[in-house]
Each structure stands twice: as structure tokens, then as C-alpha cells.
């Protein structure tokens, strides 16, 4: 996505429809231009075709695609909408998806959410990359609406005007001692024969209220791009990029980073290219910036699309050695995302890295984020808010020492266009001014009883009864504020289920020590009182076993009350719980409890009525059959020649379920995105619909079988064992018996061996018929070198089972 490093603008001559070129030729030229990322040329050619015939939805869709990639969002919006409302809309299933993204770029967040929702409702594959992105974008859009509705106070954004900006792209601004250095794409390469016109960039400088002039020296040329000028911490070295178009047709750019040293007479040395530690061969290296590490050593941050990162373009860094050489570059893994991460700027005074990304929760396009260096590692990545960020592309942020003035580039509304009709491109430079410098203050929240950190607290910061900020931290107990010096602030803390607390904090000494306010919230108490009754007689029911769990968990406290029918549990407010209630001879019951918010100490009461268990019939048991029970490859007891195992089936089942992700990874390994998603879906469906129900089904069948025997009945169950054909026939026959052995062990160990008496007296008989792979269905792979199909495929997995097939 090199066009985001420096968005290219150029002029195309108008083509008369009546010329000798046919519509077919225009389509060919448009497709070639699009393939070369020359989106303006593609848009121009498609526009000519649409002017002649706007009824072709194929052309209209491609026209929209070119407009979107060229950032002509209004044109893209209109074109996608025509496709979406046409009779052929079904032929373009991604129309609503792309239209939603364009709406987001235009700041139409509500409309974008509706379109993403519509796309998902019409999309059959909810696990596809597009569906996952749409689901995530719906969440992001709600957040974006909230951010835009609460602009950062005390911040003003100003367009620098025509002295600096032009209809072409201006970018990478940096202010050094009152002089603004920046790059501009307004210049013509007279040797370039490409059509349409492809401009080149040069580095300019502008003093206050003056027009930009080409920087003196030999950085700029008339045939190559020069851009992204920056200085090191001492001002004795300047870094910049020199770039070229990758070929004669494309607008994609290939860049390398160079530098100059200041001589003793204040002149600059010859241009020197950095070594391959930074300029990796075959990849772009661009947008340099110099910062200091925790030891005061200089570090070069830059952007590259080389391998080893997380996305198309990532931020990298290289330590600058004492002799000026650059160490091997490393990706900034804590900062990079799967999207585009570009334009790093390190603010030495606050140890904060600013950068732009489209791979995080943002307002649209590229947004500006920051992360503060804390104890040799990067802190939380923060969105710097609106109005600095917008729904358009915002990048190249740079900030002065006292954080009162900043510059950045953006193609937001208000920027100058090459063609007003397209409302597209280009980046202009903007200036940010902020109110007086604010200082950091922290508030920490604790449980008053345990004195442990308390998260999820709602915090208010007030200044003379004026609410300055409201915040909540669900992940921790720390809250960071920006406050002014020599003021008194009131901090209020509230959390459902806790008594509120507040403190008064003075910032008189904030210049010399960090101000920390500690708040202690005392928890209210909530109890649950559950009572059990016989549903028929309505009398108190004793001897009941009860387990309390949270709704999304299986862990909890089990109690048995043999002398009374009441159970007491401490519970938390505004949570979902389940009571698992059972007693021999009664139907088990699960009761869902949703607790109320706490405003004081509360006891909730719940009466539970249990029904007596009806007699179990032969028909009840036969309803479970045949019952397939699935096994992992060569389990239980891998590579064993024993016919028996000490494991029970539930133990092998638990281990098998834990390997679900392994099966997904192995079966989808090496596949393309679409085939990979399909392979993962097949394995997921097999575990969800086959393997997981086998465990719960066996438990339920065993419970019913026990009650059937307790009623005085006699039963025989017939078991067959199967294997996949991967191993030799003799080994598979033994493996099948070993699997049947785990089923026998299950019945022998169930409820402390309760079936042993029935087996010994002949009331229960387990008969077996091991079949090995001889019963495997045709087509199941037995190739030991093809593990994907002979081990991890669904057909092979289905063969690895034991079936309870008959009840006599």
C-alpha cells in the first residue's frame, strides 16, 4: 500500500468519446491501470465508458473500485449505490461491504453500520475474513461515533493554506527552529514518458507565513522523488528518502533511506545511502525518524514492507551505533498490526511514539495513535482522538517539545483537490495548537475490605464542581488524567455493588512529584438463599446436592444438605449464575439466577421444586442407539500392543477435545485463505456436532442404564470397535479392542464402581465385536506419509470410534 506513503496525484488528458479508441480499448486500459495501482488512470478510463453507457453494472462496479482506491469517496459511494440498487446486485456480493467502508471514510457511521449488518445478513460464510472484518467494524463504528461526539478539549486544527499546500499532495511536515520542512508532489519529471502524468516529490521549507521553497543542496533532483526529511537529536545529521516508480506504468514507489552529515563549516556532506541493515534489497524503506532509547542512544525508526512484519507495511527500528552505522533492523512488534502501520515520530521529551495505522480501532482510513515507553517496553496504544483524527487519512504527525504545537498531513474535507469534481486525494498539511501544557495524574482504586486493586470503577474528575472527565477501566485499577498545575481536584469513584468514595487532590507540587489519588470502595454484600421442595407434595426436600456456577463456567461450589432444604451462597451483583440441583430418584434441574445491582446489602431467595424420576423403559435406552464414541488417532495408549487400557472413555474424550485447534491447524496448513477457512470450518463442525456430544451422550445413557437396572431389569449392550485404515490390520484389531476396553473401564468406574455388582451377578453384560479397519469406508486414506488426510481429515476421524449398537 505504498500509495499511503505518498499519495500520487497526476493529470490525465480528457479523452473524447468520438475518438478512434473503442470502449473495449478503454476497458483494457482501465484494467491495466488498475493492475498497476494507477487508480487515477483507471478512474479516468472507466469514467469515459460510464459517460457513454452507465447501464453496465460490471463497469459501474469497477468504476466504484477505482474511485475507492483513489480515495474519491463520494464518487465511489454513488457508484456502489447504483450497483446495490440494480437488478444485478446479487452478482456483486461485496458491494455493501465496500460501500460500508466508503461511508465510514465519509464519516457516515450510522449508514456504514447498517450496510455492514446488511452484508452479514446476506453472507452465508460468517467465518470468512470479510465477515470477521465486518463484525469488528460494527463495533468500531459505535466507538467512532462516541469519539467524534466528544472532541478533545483545547485542541484547534488549522489548514496551512495555499502558501504551503497545493492541489497536489503535501506530507511529512516537521518544524525545526521555526522553519517547516515538508515534502510536496507538485513537480514534473520531464524525462518521464508515462501517461497520464506522474509527478515527483521534492523537499521544501517554509518560514512562518511564507511560501514553501525547494530546499537548498542536492537532496532534490528533477528525475527522482525526495521526501520525509528528518534530523537526529543533535541536528548534525539529516535523514531522508529517495524513491523511484517501480516501472514505467505503475504509480507504486520504491524508496531507500539516505543521510547527510553536517561539516565543521555548517555545510552538508555528500548524500550517503544506509546499508542493507535498513535498506533491505527488494523492499521499500521510508519515513525515517530518530529518537532516543532509555540509555540516551539514538534509534532510527522507519517503515518497510519487508518480510518479518505483521502486515503490508510495518514500523521497524535500528540502533544507531557510536560510529554512525546502523544495526540490523527489528520490527516494532508491540506496535505493528495486521494493517498498515506508518509515519513513526518519537517524542523524546515524553518518550512517546506517534504513528498512523489502519489496522486498529479508528475513525476511518489511517488514524494517529501513540504509545509511551515505560520501563524499556511500550505502554498501551492510545488513539489521540478527534478532531486531529478524522474519517479520512491522517498521518505524518510531529510534535514540539512542550506539546503545544503539532503538524500532520490529511486528505480530509477542506484539503485542496486536483479536480474538485472528484473530491479525491490529496494530502494537505495541518497545524495543531493546544492549550497550556497539562500534567499527568493517576488515581488508583482498591477494595476497602481486602485492600486489593479494584477494577471496573467509574471515575469522575471535578474542578470546582465542573466535571472534567469521566472514565472506567475494566482491565485494571489505574486511571490517568491530564491536570493543570496549582489546582484542587475532586475525584469521585463509584462501582455497582460498592459504597462510593471521593478524595480531594492538590496539584501544587506536580512539577516535582507525581500526584496519586487512592480511593477505597467498600463492597456491599449479596447472598443467595435457595430452598428445595418436592414438586408433588410441596414439602421440604432434604438430601439434595446443589452446585453454584457462573453461567459461562463449569467451576463452582458443591454442597449437600442431608438435614435441611436450604443452601446459602455469597454472590456478586449483576451476574448470571446457574444452580445445578440433583437428588437420587429425582430429575436433575438447572436454575438460572440473574442477580440485581446492589445499592446495599441484599439476600435473594429462590424456591426450587424437583420432580420424581419416572421409570426408565427399554425404549428410553434404545433412543440413544446407535451411539458413536470418537477417539484421537492411535488412542488410547499410542503405539501400544496391549489389548486393554487403564483409561476410561471420558478421560480420552477430554484429551481429544483439547486437540481441536491442532486438528484445525494441521488440516488447513498450507491452504489459501478461502480453502483454509473451509478446512477449519469442517474440523470445527466435526468436533462440535460429533466429538463433543459423544461425551455428554455417554453420561446420559449411563445414568438411564443405571436406573433401568435399579428397577430390577437385566440388560446386555453390544459394542463394536472401529479404526481408520492407517496402520496394519493386525495392529488395528488390537487398537479396536483397546478402545472397547476404555468403554468397559467407564462402566466399571462409574459412580465409584456402582455397576460392578450388576456385572458380577449377570444383570449387566457388555459384549464386543472388534472390527479394526476392515469395516472402514472406501476412500479413507491409509497413506502414513499423508498425515493431513490419514489423521486429521474428517473422513479418517469418523472411522476412529466405538459404537454402542444394540441393547438386549
Amino acid at each position: 500500500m505504498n500509495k499511503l506513503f505518498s499519495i500520487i496525484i497526476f493529470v490525465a488528458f480528457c479523452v473524447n468519446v468520438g475518438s478512434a479508441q473503442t470502449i473495449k480499448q478503454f476497458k483494457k486500459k482501465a484494467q491495466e491501470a488498475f493492475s498497476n495501482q494507477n487508480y487515477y488512470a483507471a478512474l479516468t478510463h472507466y469514467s469515459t465508458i460510464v459517460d457513454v453507457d452507465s447501464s453496465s453494472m460490471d463497469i459501474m462496479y469497477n468504476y466504484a473500485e477505482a474511485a475507492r482506491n483513489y480515495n474519491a469517496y463520494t464518487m465511489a459511494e454513488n457508484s456502489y449505490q447504483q450497483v446495490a440498487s440494480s437488478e444485478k446486485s446479487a452478482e456483486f456480493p461485496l458491494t455493501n461491504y465496500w460501500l460500508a467502508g466508503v461511508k465510514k471514510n465519509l464519516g457516515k457511521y450510522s449508514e456504514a453500520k447498517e450496510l455492514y449488518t446488511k452484508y452479514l445478513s446476506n453472507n452465508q460464510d460468517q467465518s470468512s475474513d470479510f465477515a470477521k472484518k465486518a463484525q469488528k467494524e460494527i463495533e468500531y463504528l459505535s466507538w467512532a461515533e462516541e469519539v467524534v461526539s466528544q472532541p478533545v478539549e483545547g485542541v484547534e486544527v488549522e489548514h496551512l493554506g495555499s502558501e504551503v499546500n497545493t492541489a497536489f499532495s503535501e506530507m511529512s511536515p516537521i518544524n525545526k527552529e521555526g522553519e517547516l520542512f515538508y515534502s510536496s508532489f507538485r513537480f514534473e519529471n520531464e524525462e518521464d514518458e508515462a501517461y497520464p502524468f506522474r509527478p515527483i516529490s521534492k523537499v521544501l521549507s517554509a518560514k512562518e507565513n511564507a511560501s514553501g521553497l525547494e530546499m537548498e543542496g542536492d537532496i532534490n533532483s528533477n528525475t527522482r522523488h525526495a521526501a520525509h526529511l528528518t534530523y537526529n537529536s543533535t541536528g548534525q545529521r539529516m535523514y531522508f528518502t529517495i524513491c523511484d516508480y517501480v516501472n514505467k506504468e505503475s504509480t507504486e514507489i520504491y524508496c531507500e533511506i539516505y543521510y547527510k552529515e553536517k561539516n565543521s563549516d555548517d555545510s552538508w556532506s555528500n548524500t550517503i545511502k544506509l546499508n542493507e541493515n535498513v535498506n533491505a534489497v527488494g523492499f521499500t524503506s521510508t519515513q525515517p525518524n530518530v529518537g532516543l532509547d532509555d540509555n540516551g542512544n539514538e534509534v532510527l525508526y522507519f517503515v518497510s514492507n519487508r518480510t518479518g512484519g505483521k502486515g503490508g507495511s510495518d514500523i521497524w527500528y535500528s540502533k544507531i551505533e557510536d560510529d554512525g552505522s546502523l544495526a540490523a533492523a527489528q520490527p516494532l512488534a508491540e506496535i505493528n498490526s495486521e494493517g498498515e502501520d506508518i509515519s513513526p515520530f518519537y517524542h523524546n521529551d515524553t518518550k512517546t511514539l506517534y504513528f498512523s495505522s489502519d489496522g486498529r480501532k479508528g475513525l476511518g482510513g489511517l488514524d494517529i495513535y501513540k504509545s509511551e515507553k515505560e520501563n524499556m517496553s511500550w505502554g498501551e496504544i492510545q488513539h489521540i482522538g478527534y478532531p486531529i483524527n478524522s474519517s479520512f487519512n491522517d498521518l505524518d504527525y510531529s510534535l514540539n517539545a512542550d506539546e503545544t504545537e503539532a503538524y500532520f498531513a490529511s486528505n480530509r474535507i477542506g484539503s485542496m483537490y486536483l479536480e474538485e469534481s472528484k473530491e479525491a486525494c490529496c494530502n494537505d498539511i495541518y497545524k495543531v495548537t493546544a492549550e497550556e501544557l497539562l500534567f499527568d495524574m493517576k488515581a488508583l482504586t482498591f477494595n476497602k475490605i481486602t485492600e486489593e486493586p479494584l477494577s471496573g470503577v467509574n471515575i469522575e474528575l471535578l474542578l470546582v464542581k465542573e466535571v472534567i472527565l469521566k472514565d472506567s477501566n475494566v482491565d485494571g485499577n489505574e486511571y490517568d488524567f491530564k491536570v493543570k498545575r496549582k489546582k484542587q481536584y475532586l475525584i469521585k469513584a463509584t462501582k455497582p455493588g460498592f459504597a462510593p468514595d471521593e478524595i480531594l487532590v492538590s496539584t501544587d507540587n506536580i512539577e516535582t512529584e507525581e500526584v496519586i489519588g487512592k480511593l477505597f470502595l467498600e463492597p456491599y454484600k449479596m447472598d443467595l438463599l435457595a430452598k428445595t421442595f418436592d414438586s408433588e407434595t410441596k414439602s421440604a426436600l432434604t438430601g439434595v446436592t446443589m452446585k453454584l456456577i457462573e453461567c459461562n463456567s463449569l467451576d463452582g461450589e458443591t454442597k449437600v444438605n442431608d438435614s435441611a432444604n436450604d443452601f446459602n451462597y455469597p454472590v456478586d451483583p449483576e451476574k448470571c449464575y446457574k444452580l445445578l440441583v440433583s437428588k437420587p430418584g429425582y430429575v436433575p434441574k438447572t436454575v438460572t439466577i440473574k442477580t440485581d445491582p446492589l445499592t446495599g446489602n441484599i439476600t435473594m431467595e429462590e424456591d426450587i421444586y424437583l420432580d420424581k424420576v419416572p421409570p426408565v423403559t427399554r425404549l428410553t435406552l434404545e433412543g440413544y442407539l446407535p451411539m458413536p464414541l470418537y477417539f484421537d488417532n492411535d488412542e488410547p495408549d499410542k503405539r501400544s500392543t496391549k489389548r486393554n487400557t487403564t483409561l476410561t472413555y471420558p478421560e480420552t474424550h477430554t484429551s481429544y477435545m483439547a486437540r481441536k485447534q491442532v486438528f484445525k491447524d494441521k488440516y488447513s496448513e498450507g491452504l489459501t485463505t478461502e480453502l483454509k477457512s473451509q478446512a477449519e470450518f469442517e474440523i470445527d463442525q466435526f468436533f462440535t456436532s460429533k466429538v463433543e456430544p459423544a461425551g455428554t451422550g455417554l453420561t446420559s445413557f449411563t445414568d438411564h442404564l443405571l436406573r433401568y437396572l435399579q428397577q430390577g431389569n437385566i440388560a446386555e449392550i453390544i459394542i463394536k470397535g472401529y479404526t481408520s485404515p492407517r496402520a496394519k490390520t493386525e495392529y488395528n484389531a488390537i487398537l479396536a479392542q483397546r478402545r472397547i476396553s476404555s468403554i468397559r473401564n467407564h462402566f466399571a468406574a462409574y459412580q465409584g464402581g456402582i455397576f460392578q455388582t450388576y456385572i458380577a451377578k449377570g444383570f449387566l453384560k457388555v459384549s464386543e465385536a472388534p472390527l479394526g479397519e476392515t469395516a472402514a469406508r472406501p476412500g479413507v486414506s491409509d497413506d502414513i506419509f499423508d498425515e493431513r488426510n490419514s489423521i486429521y481429515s474428517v473422513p479418517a476421524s469418523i472411522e476412529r470410534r466405538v459404537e454402542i449398537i444394540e441393547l438386549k
Side-chain angles (χ1 to χ4, degrees), residues 481-631:
F481 307 119
K482 292 290 187 181
V483 295
K484 297 180 180 180
R485 208 161 43 88
K486 298 185 181 300
K487 301 285 185 182
Q488 282 196 329
Y489 290 89
L490 181 65
I491 306 176
K492 292 184 176 182
T494 60
K495 179 180 172 71
F498 290 79
D501 191 21
E502 62 181 46
I503 55 172
L504 193 66
V505 179
S506 172
T507 60
D508 287 348
N509 300 318
I510 200 167
E511 289 182 317
T512 57
E513 63 184 37
E514 185 179 30
V515 176
I516 298 181
K518 294 185 178 182
L519 300 102
F520 295 85
L521 287 76
E522 183 173 358
Y524 293 130
K525 293 181 180 179
M526 174 175 277
D527 295 306
L528 172 63
L529 173 61
K531 295 181 179 180
T532 54
F533 302 87
D534 185 298
S535 63
E536 183 178 353
T537 65
K538 303 299 186 290
S539 59
L541 191 62
T542 60
V544 173
T545 299
M546 188 177 294
K547 183 178 182 180
L548 177 73
I549 62 173
E550 292 188 19
C551 287
N552 59 351
S553 172
L554 294 177
D555 298 326
E557 180 182 5
T558 300
K559 295 181 179 181
V560 179
N561 193 341
D562 292 321
S563 59
N565 74 324
D566 60 318
F567 296 80
N568 288 278
Y569 294 95
V571 291
D572 294 326
E574 296 184 285
K575 276 194 174 181
C576 177
Y577 292 91
K578 289 183 179 179
L579 290 171
L580 311 182
V581 188
S582 62
K583 176 181 170 70
Y586 286 81
V587 178
K589 194 170 189 177
T590 300
V591 180
T592 300
I593 307 289
K594 292 186 177 180
T595 57
D596 298 322
L598 273 180
T599 55
N601 296 323
I602 296 175
T603 297
M604 298 181 65
E605 295 186 8
E606 185 74 22
D607 292 338
I608 302 170
Y609 293 86
L610 297 183
D611 299 321
K612 288 184 177 179
V613 174
V616 177
T617 67
R618 178 187 178 90
L619 186 61
T620 302
L621 288 169
E622 288 181 339
Y624 288 92
L625 305 182
M627 177 183 292
L629 306 169
Y630 297 93
F631 291 79

